[in-house]
Amino acid sequence: MNSLNKISPYALGLLRIIAGYMFLLHGTSKFFEYPVSMTGGNGAVELFSMMGIGGVLEIVGGALLILGLFTRPVAFILSGMMAVAYFQIHASLDNVLLPIVNKGELAALYSLVFLNFVFLGAGAFALDNKVCKKS
């Protein structure tokens, strides 16, 4: 078990980079229609709409997570954003506890993954480690 503890910062860093990349792609698909999802493109969304603000947060937040810069505050904001997305868009009173039915699985998972970064930090390969390094 001790050997697994040694590599856990690397596993956390890999999760942060992959989750940030996938989240960034959600934003680029909203604004640039790349990549186009299996359900088709959204078209270019308006910047000052709920989808537009979400897209900006996805692009900026995803990029910052990939870099591992300001990881904890960014993850806190993104976790809240995805919790709001789940409860406001996906969940209704009759299926709030059924994410597979309300198609909110991804929003709920993103919210929990980002919440983990708030408490666990960025892991390895993060600029936060260089910026916050004690001289």
Side-chain angles (χ1 to χ4, degrees), residues 57-78:
L57 286 172
E58 288 165 349
I59 291 172
V60 173
L64 288 172
L65 283 180
I66 291 168
L67 296 172
L69 191 59
F70 308 115
T71 302
R72 289 177 193 254
V74 167
F76 180 77
I77 292 167
L78 296 181

Side-chain angles (χ1 to χ4, degrees), residues 58 68 81 89 98-99 114:
E58 288 165 349
M81 171 189 154
I89 296 169
L98 300 170
F114 294 150

Side-chain angles (χ1 to χ4, degrees), residues 25-26 29-30 33-42:
L25 291 178
H26 281 279
S29 72
K30 283 182 179 69
E33 294 187 356
Y34 181 82
V36 177
S37 68
M38 291 179 0
T39 59
N42 291 338

